[in-house]
Amino acid sequence: MTSERKPVPSVTERLLNSGSQLPSFRRNGIFYVLLALFLYIIVVTRPQQTMVLSRMMEVPQIQRIPRNDYQEISKVEVKSKKLEQKPDWDTLDGIGFEFEENKPIVMDPRFYNMLKLPQCDLTKDKVPSKINIKEAMNQFQQCVRPIVERWRGDIKSMNTKFSETRPCEAAFKDMDVIPMTNLHETKWAILPHCREENIMVTIGIGHDTYGEERLNRTLPNTKFFGADPIIEPNRQLYTAFGKYFPFAIGKKPGFTKFRVLPNQNQKTRKYEFQDVTTIPFTYFLWDILGLKQIDIAWIDIEGGEFEFLDQFYRGGPMDEKGIVICQFNLEVHSKFNPPGAQVFHDFVFRTLDDKRYIFTKVLNTDVGIHRMFFVNVEDEKCVRKFLQ
C-alpha cells in the first residue's frame, strides 16, 4: 500500500487557516491620527513656552533714585538700626537712667596733697593734738542735751523740731568738716591727717554717686563698697570705682518691704515700696566685707535705717564683732516709716548717754526727715587718724 504525500501549505495559507489577519488599513489610520494630534499639541503650545522662558530670562531694569531721596532712605535705615539696638538694661515701662558721656577725670587739688602726708602711725597720740576731744564732747553735751531733754517722751517734737540743735555746731569749728555734694543732697566728711588705706561704705546708693566720685578724686587709696537692692543703674554707677552688692541692709535676713527708687522713675523720682532681699547690717560689714574699721559710711535707705540703729549702741552687735565706724552720714525717714519715730527718739538719747559719737550738720528736709553727720570721738584709731 502506497501513501500519498500531501503538499506543504505556504506561510500565507497558514495565516489564513489560523484566523490571523495582516495589519489592516484601519489600524494604520488610527496610528496616523494620534501622530497628527501629538504634532498639533507641540506646535500650538510651543509659542506659550517660549514666552514664559523669555520672561524668565528678562533682566529687570534698575530704577534710578534721586540723590535727595537716597539720603532720606539712608537716614531711615540708620535710625531703624539704632532702634534695634538693645539697651544695657531693662527700663520696664518708663525712662531709665541716662548715663553721661565719658569726660576727662579731673582730680581735686587736695588729692595730691593727701599723697604727701606721712604714713599713719595709729599706735600713739600726736602731741599736741589738733582737737581736744574731751572739751569737744563737753561742749556738745552741754549744748545739745538741754534742747532734746525738752522732747523726752515727746516723739512728735523730737521728729519735727530736731533741727533746733543746729546752733550746737560751734563745737565742730576745728574739725574741718567738708562737703561732698551729691546730685540731690550734700554728704559730709573729715579727711584723714595721715596716709593709709581708707574704707568707704555706701548703704543706699539711690542712682546717685556724685558724692562718692568726688571723694574718690579727693582721697587717695580708698576702697568703696556699696549696697542697694535696685540693681540698675546702681550697679553700673558704683562699679565704675567700687564694688556693688545687690541687696538691702536691715536687721534680719530675708524679705523686707523697703521704699526704693525703681530705674524707670528717673524723671518723677517717685519711690515705691517693694519686697527686697535683706542682709543684716553687721553680717554685711563683718562676714561679707570682712571689715573691722570703716572710715566713712553713708546711710540713706528711706526708712530702712530704723532696723539697725540700735546696733550702734555701746555693747551692741557692732561691739560684739569689734566693728568700728569712724564717721558716717545718716538720713532718717520717719515720714515713710512712722514706727521709726520712736526708734529715732531713743537713738538720740542713747547716743548722748554713750558719749561715743557727736553729731553735726543737722538738716530737716521734710516732716520726719533729718540728715546729720556723726563723728566717732571714742575709738583711738579714729581719733588719731581724723582728729589729731
Side-chain angles (χ1 to χ4, degrees), residues 155-163 259 302-303 305-306 331-338 340-341 344 363-371:
I155 299 173
K156 181 178 179 180
S157 295
M158 179 68 81
N159 281 268
T160 57
K161 301 179 180 180
F162 189 69
S163 59
R259 186 172 180 266
E302 302 298 320
E305 66 278 354
F306 297 119
E331 184 167 333
V332 295
H333 308 78
S334 58
K335 176 180 179 179
F336 310 122
N337 186 354
F344 177 61
L363 178 64
N364 174 235
T365 61
D366 200 347
V367 177
I369 301 179
H370 303 282
R371 297 171 185 162

Side-chain angles (χ1 to χ4, degrees), residues 10 87 143 190 197 212 257 323 340 367 384 387:
S10 64
C143 183
I190 300 176
E197 182 180 79
E212 287 91 341
K257 192 175 291 296
I323 302 173
V367 177
R384 290 166 180 167
L387 301 178

Side-chain angles (χ1 to χ4, degrees), residues 173-330:
K173 63 180 183 299
D174 297 326
M175 288 191 178
D176 295 332
V177 181
I178 62 173
M180 290 291 166
T181 306
N182 248 337
L183 187 61
H184 301 98
E185 61 198 14
T186 299
K187 305 294 188 183
W188 302 93
I190 300 176
L191 298 179
H193 299 154
C194 57
R195 179 169 48 88
E196 71 166 5
E197 182 180 79
N198 307 290
I199 301 296
M200 159 72 182
V201 176
T202 304
I203 299 178
I205 299 169
H207 310 188
D208 185 359
T209 58
Y210 275 74
E212 287 91 341
E213 292 171 30
R214 292 179 190 276
L215 185 64
N216 192 34
R217 296 194 300 267
T218 305
L219 185 58
N221 197 25
T222 302
K223 290 184 177 180
F224 291 82
F225 304 93
D228 195 296
I230 301 301
I231 296 177
E232 299 298 352
N234 294 312
R235 177 186 62 84
Q236 295 192 53
L237 288 170
Y238 211 88
T239 54
F241 53 85
K243 293 185 178 181
Y244 165 76
F245 298 86
F247 39 69
I249 305 299
K251 189 170 187 177
K252 298 179 180 179
F255 287 100
T256 309
K257 192 175 291 296
F258 267 56
R259 186 172 180 266
V260 296
L261 178 61
N263 185 27
Q264 70 270 22
N265 293 357
Q266 293 297 326
K267 279 195 172 181
T268 61
R269 297 288 296 179
K270 182 181 178 181
Y271 283 75
E272 300 176 2
F273 284 94
Q274 295 182 7
D275 290 327
V276 296
T277 304
T278 310
I279 300 295
F281 179 64
T282 52
Y283 181 85
F284 175 60
L285 299 178
W286 177 261
D287 296 273
I288 295 181
L289 300 184
L291 301 175
K292 291 192 66 175
Q293 176 173 315
I294 297 93
D295 296 298
I296 304 172
W298 293 352
I299 304 171
D300 184 1
I301 51 177
E302 302 298 320
E305 66 278 354
F306 297 119
E307 291 197 7
F308 56 80
L309 287 183
D310 59 348
Q311 299 188 24
F312 286 87
Y313 297 167
R314 188 180 302 280
M318 288 179 62
D319 283 358
E320 293 175 0
K321 295 287 187 179
I323 302 173
V324 174
I325 299 181
C326 294
Q327 53 182 289
F328 64 96
N329 287 263
L330 173 66

